Amino acid sequence: MIKLFKDIYDYREMVFSLVRRDLRGRYKGTILGFLWTFINPLLQLVVYTLVFSNVLRMGIEKYYIFLFVALIPWIFFSGTITGGCEVILGASNMVKKIYFPREVLPLAYTISSFVNMLFSFIVVFAVLLFSGYGVDPMALLYLPVIMIIEFVLALGMALLFSALTVYLRDLQHILGILMLAWQFLTPIMYSEDMVPEKYMGIWRLNPMTSVITAYRDILYNKQPPHINTLAEAAILGVVLLVIGEVVFRLLQRNFAEEL
Amino acid sequence: MGMREENAVEVHDIKKCFKVYADHAGQLKERILFWKRNRYEERKVLDGISFEVKKGEAVGLIGQNGCGKSTTLKLLTKIIYPDSGTIQMNGRVSSLIELGAGFHPDMSGRENIYTNAAIFGLTKKEIDARLDDIIAFSELEEFIDNPVRTYSSGMYMRLAFAVAINVDADILLIDEILAVGDAAFQAKCFNRMREIKASGTTIILVSHSLGQIEQLCDRSIWIHEGKIKMEGIPRDVHPHYMDHMAEMTERAAEKRRQEEARKAEGNAAEEQKNEAKEEKAEQPAEVKENPQRYGNRKAEITSISLNRPDKQDCHTLHSGEDAEIVIRYKAHETVQKAAFGIGIFRNDGVHCYGTNTVIDQLEDFDLEGSGSMTVRISKLPLLQGSYSMDIAIECDQGIPVDYYKNAIQFEVTSRLSEAGVMRVEHTWELEKQNG
């Protein structure tokens, strides 16, 4: 356990260099380049606002903000899983030929997605401030906490699925549908109170429910999230990270032979 | 389980099988359809290998292709894991198995140094400290800020090697990579390896070049069919290994010859049928009718054999050791003033040597009945390679009696890696003048 942390710490420069390469490579060759990091979430906001304010009226006040503050964290989470599941396969040449702690690959991918989310949050804050909706400084103190919890959760999932995909390549395609279903099972486009009471148990099991609820409390309701929500998210996050790492450790022994 | 203080590597009874899939069942459909019968063969690559390497020791792993030496190295690198057995290592490990891992063609040489060195587990600070050394070693100062895709493959490898060799490791694992770039760069790499060894780094090297291992390593481990066949001082182990290899080539050559002979016999049998029975019955069995053979046949070469001190009738000779060529003949009528000649050719057609009994000023002799002529060679000066020999009986100033081209093929093996056609006996003497 301690050895694992030390090993990854020793390879920190490799993590940074992969993150740098990923961030730089993401929009390489495009005309707008890095601007896409900001334009993308903005355009998504426009689309969702057009649809939900004019066609599907939800009857929620300032719906576009309600949606936006939940959508950006979700995009980070789902992107980390759908993209992260391919990192080992994608680096098969390196995995087959040299040693490094294999965790470095999903870790670097999660970090680069996370950094991307942080950039998107610049847009979130711009929208909150320019629309006159405003923020609550006290509540904002909890934002880094929930971000770290979500990061832990996403890392756990990236470890799990990147390792599984090596053995079962169909996962790349299955995950696309799975994440769509997961999105609808998470209170992103609707609020938690809209879920029928009898199904609430299922929704509680979904680790993303408490994560999204916490984001929304902080940014939309402008109040500190309930301590239970945070605790639930944190516990599920850590549990999933441990499961992810245990499975990863187990499966990584044969990576070089399976690739 | 603790390691002994003086050891850098302890390998205990490792075994490894590879599953060779008929085809890869990576898709869900196949996994489900063929759940029970994932068709694969198990191939045992390592069958219980144990060894220890002391700190600062350099060990060479030798063996035929597929014997498991590269697998051993991969296990040490922790790219793959053994089915059973343990591997313990003490210190920072760096492996020079894959050069230029993670190189990105669009990034500059300098940036790639950082990426590549990071993959070897170096931190930014450590890379900063080595950057100048790496660039100097690669000799790419002028090009270091150009994108790597503009490099020639030689420049690319030089950069990759420069990074790899400047990673300070306690244990260095190397797989057959000292063959990088031109001769000058290779020599530089090799010298650098020596420096690294002198600085106390433990080295495990897989190489086909026995010479390299002899120069660099304290010990050789010969792996044969997944087991350690022999280990010890390189100069002690290598002759045994060479003999084994020679035997293998000889066995393969023998098999090939037998097959050819069988084919030729088949042809000969047919010819005999067609041409009715002539005097062919007279032909000795060992030497068959051949378009590369001419002469008046007053006497004939009946068989040829090569001998070396430890083996009669072989097809492999060792460079620098004694050898014998025995030519047996049968004279149908008296050949007056006969002469024997030999000509040795390398397989690329180079005429290496030719002589005959007249040139060598033997007294005139006549051939009657049957007998043999033996050519004794002391310290065979030929270098490693494949050769063939022409053998001739002539009479009266060069009239061919039986001129047999390509009469016998043989291999020469060598423990040294000299270059050229033949060994020139020599000594070196250095004289330094002060001031």
Side-chain angles (χ1 to χ4, degrees):
Chain A
M1 185 70 181
I2 294 162
K3 201 184 158 295
L4 173 69
F5 281 122
K6 192 190 164 295
D7 222 9
I8 291 174
Y9 182 72
D10 283 345
Y11 277 80
R12 59 192 180 279
E13 183 57 32
M14 182 180 179
V15 176
F16 297 146
S17 108
L18 283 172
V19 170
R20 256 197 311 271
R21 208 166 89 180
D22 193 49
L23 287 176
R24 232 203 293 173
R26 203 168 275 222
Y27 299 110
K28 192 175 163 43
T30 57
I31 296 167
L32 292 175
F34 202 65
L35 276 179
W36 276 112
T37 314
F38 304 109
I39 298 169
N40 239 335
L42 261 182
L43 288 179
Q44 283 188 16
L45 180 65
V46 170
V47 171
Y48 278 104
T49 308
L50 283 177
V51 173
F52 284 96
S53 317
N54 299 313
V55 187
L56 289 165
R57 277 179 227 159
M58 301 289 286
I60 292 173
E61 197 193 335
K62 294 271 188 184
Y63 183 75
Y64 69 98
I65 288 177
F66 174 89
L67 180 64
F68 199 40
V69 299
L71 196 62
I72 295 297
W74 173 259
I75 289 172
F76 157 60
F77 182 73
S78 86
T80 305
I81 293 176
T82 50
C85 77
E86 294 172 15
V87 289
I88 307 281
L89 280 182
S92 67
N93 244 339
M94 264 157 57
V95 173
K96 273 192 283 190
K97 304 236 167 96
I98 41 177
Y99 171 79
F100 53 89
R102 309 309 189 199
E103 284 88 352
V104 160
L105 294 171
L107 176 64
Y109 192 82
T110 311
I111 292 177
S112 90
S113 301
F114 188 74
V115 171
N116 232 36
M117 177 175 81
L118 293 184
F119 284 126
S120 302
F121 260 91
I122 296 175
V123 181
V124 172
F125 282 115
V127 169
L128 285 175
L129 294 175
F130 285 112
S131 66
Y133 195 82
V135 290
D136 179 63
M138 271 311 284
L140 276 189
L141 288 178
Y142 289 89
L143 190 61
V145 178
I146 192 62
M147 279 179 164
I148 289 168
I149 292 173
E150 195 194 7
F151 177 83
V152 167
L153 186 61
L155 178 60
M157 301 306 280
L159 284 166
L160 181 68
F161 286 113
S162 64
L164 286 175
T165 306
V166 173
Y167 293 84
L168 196 62
R169 300 190 185 183
D170 295 59
L171 264 185
Q172 295 168 76
H173 308 288
I174 296 170
L175 279 176
I177 295 296
L178 201 71
M179 293 318 289
L180 185 67
W182 198 339
Q183 181 172 1
F184 284 109
L185 289 172
T186 308
I188 295 164
M189 299 187 186
Y190 50 87
S191 71
E192 210 185 343
D193 352 309
M194 290 165 81
V195 180
E197 196 61 43
K198 56 179 172 178
Y199 297 129
M200 211 43 217
I202 303 172
W203 258 257
R204 283 258 151 265
L205 274 180
N206 174 1
M208 278 308 279
T209 301
S210 23
V211 170
I212 294 296
T213 306
Y215 272 108
R216 195 165 274 152
D217 278 344
I218 295 165
L219 294 167
Y220 180 73
N221 299 330
K222 294 194 270 190
Q223 63 189 38
H226 205 282
I227 193 71
N228 283 350
T229 316
L230 278 183
E232 230 168 83
I235 290 167
L236 280 170
V238 170
V239 167
L240 278 172
L241 179 62
V242 170
I243 292 175
E245 171 58 19
V246 167
V247 172
F248 193 92
R249 273 277 119 176
L250 219 66
L251 294 181
Q252 66 107 16
R253 291 177 70 93
N254 285 327
F255 277 173
E257 287 162 69
E258 282 291 331
L259 285 168
Chain B
M1 209 162 60
M3 283 182 73
R4 265 193 275 162
E5 185 56 35
E6 73 270 20
N7 284 345
V9 179
E10 283 183 13
V11 174
H12 183 68
D13 198 29
I14 46 169
K15 294 185 179 171
K16 181 75 190 169
C17 282
F18 280 131
K19 288 172 184 167
V20 184
Y21 288 93
D23 54 350
H24 204 281
Q27 278 194 316
L28 186 61
K29 184 187 74 184
E30 291 157 38
R31 279 271 151 120
I32 292 170
L33 288 178
F34 306 118
W35 193 263
K36 284 267 155 62
R37 50 179 194 111
N38 242 338
R39 279 173 301 167
Y40 59 79
E41 274 176 61
E42 288 227 322
R43 204 163 59 81
K44 198 168 241 175
V45 185
L46 292 180
D47 190 16
I49 280 188
S50 308
F51 61 88
E52 291 174 2
V53 181
K54 293 204 168 49
K55 281 181 185 155
E57 194 184 13
V59 170
L61 300 181
I62 57 170
Q64 282 163 275
N65 288 330
C67 72
K69 55 188 189 311
S70 290
T71 305
T72 308
L73 212 61
K74 277 189 178 169
L75 285 165
L76 291 174
T77 320
K78 284 192 283 181
I79 296 171
I80 53 176
Y81 293 79
D83 297 335
S84 68
T86 57
I87 297 173
Q88 285 177 297
M89 304 227 251
N90 189 356
R92 179 184 196 157
V93 182
S94 172
S95 67
L96 310 192
I97 293 181
E98 175 70 358
L99 289 176
F103 266 25
H104 197 291
D106 286 330
M107 296 206 287
S108 73
R110 191 187 298 274
E111 287 170 306
N112 271 309
I113 291 177
Y114 278 93
T115 323
N116 191 222
I119 292 172
F120 283 117
L122 261 61
T123 61
K124 179 142 191 323
K125 230 202 265 168
E126 289 172 310
I127 303 170
D128 285 337
R130 287 168 178 74
L131 190 65
D132 291 337
D133 284 346
I134 293 174
I135 296 173
F137 193 89
S138 70
E139 302 170 9
L140 291 170
E141 286 90 348
E142 299 161 56
F143 309 101
I144 203 67
D145 290 309
N146 298 353
V148 163
R149 73 181 132 78
T150 62
Y151 286 17
S152 71
S153 61
M155 290 159 73
Y156 183 96
M157 291 313 282
R158 250 154 56 195
L159 183 64
F161 196 87
V163 178
I165 207 136
N166 278 293
V167 176
D168 293 344
D170 302 314
I171 304 168
L172 197 58
L173 309 171
I174 307 169
D175 190 0
E176 205 72 70
I177 53 159
L178 291 172
V180 169
D182 54 23
F185 193 73
Q186 273 181 32
K188 192 169 157 184
C189 290
F190 196 75
N191 288 338
R192 177 86 179 115
M193 295 298 310
R194 284 194 170 150
E195 279 173 38
I196 289 175
K197 180 173 183 270
S199 72
T201 305
T202 308
I203 296 175
I204 299 180
L205 170 76
V206 164
S207 179
H208 281 294
S209 161
L210 299 180
Q212 258 177 11
I213 291 184
E214 275 165 25
Q215 289 178 60
L216 195 67
C217 296
D218 308 304
R219 187 152 57 101
S220 272
I221 298 179
W222 170 16
I223 300 176
H224 182 63
E225 289 173 357
K227 286 185 171 143
I228 293 180
K229 185 144 181 172
M230 200 175 176
E231 63 176 296
I233 298 165
R235 282 190 181 278
D236 292 344
V237 175
H238 293 181
H240 293 276
Y241 174 62
M242 290 295 302
D243 281 348
H244 172 80
M245 289 301 282
E247 222 167 273
M248 298 296 280
T249 12
E250 203 161 293
R251 223 176 286 164
E254 187 60 40
K255 212 173 157 192
R256 210 170 45 231
R257 259 192 302 280
Q258 274 172 3
E259 257 160 44
E260 267 166 29
R262 214 174 302 137
K263 248 184 253 166
E265 246 165 57
N267 291 345
E270 255 169 51
E271 272 172 36
Q272 266 181 345
K273 267 183 210 161
N274 298 343
E275 289 179 17
K277 289 157 235 158
E278 282 175 60
E279 315 161 86
K280 280 214 169 160
E282 288 277 293
Q283 287 281 325
E286 291 92 331
V287 178
K288 281 169 288 294
E289 197 51 64
N290 185 321
Q292 290 190 315
R293 202 167 168 185
Y294 54 89
N296 61 24
R297 298 293 170 91
K298 284 181 183 168
E300 274 179 327
I301 298 164
T302 55
S303 76
I304 302 146
S305 50
L306 293 181
N307 301 333
R308 53 174 210 251
D310 56 327
K311 196 167 183 240
Q312 302 280 307
D313 221 357
C314 55
H315 289 91
T316 308
L317 301 176
H318 299 317
S319 186
E321 289 180 11
D322 295 350
E324 265 178 13
I325 309 160
V326 181
I327 306 158
R328 277 175 280 274
Y329 66 86
K330 187 176 179 189
H332 304 298
E333 51 192 276
T334 307
V335 181
Q336 285 180 331
K337 285 193 182 174
F340 282 85
I342 56 168
I344 299 173
F345 297 83
R346 202 163 62 183
N347 65 344
D348 58 358
V350 172
H351 187 180
C352 302
Y353 186 67
T355 189
N356 62 36
T357 48
V358 177
I359 295 172
D360 287 341
Q361 298 179 344
L362 253 72
E363 261 176 52
D364 288 349
F365 54 88
D366 299 340
L367 292 184
E368 283 169 308
S370 59
S372 70
M373 173 64 98
T374 301
V375 188
R376 293 208 172 80
I377 301 166
S378 59
K379 290 191 192 163
L380 183 70
L382 294 174
L383 303 186
Q384 194 158 335
S386 299
Y387 296 86
S388 68
M389 204 186 302
D390 289 3
I391 290 174
I393 303 176
E394 297 176 342
C395 68
D396 281 342
Q397 281 110 40
I399 297 168
V401 175
D402 187 0
Y403 197 107
Y404 195 173
K405 277 188 171 171
N406 257 329
I408 192 161
Q409 282 90 37
F410 62 99
E411 306 276 327
V412 173
T413 60
S414 170
R415 276 164 209 160
L416 302 167
S417 43
E418 297 149 296
V421 183
M422 56 171 290
R423 172 165 309 118
V424 176
E425 286 295 339
H426 60 279
T427 54
W428 300 83
E429 191 180 320
L430 176 67
E431 208 171 292
K432 278 186 180 166
Q433 239 136 28
N434 291 329

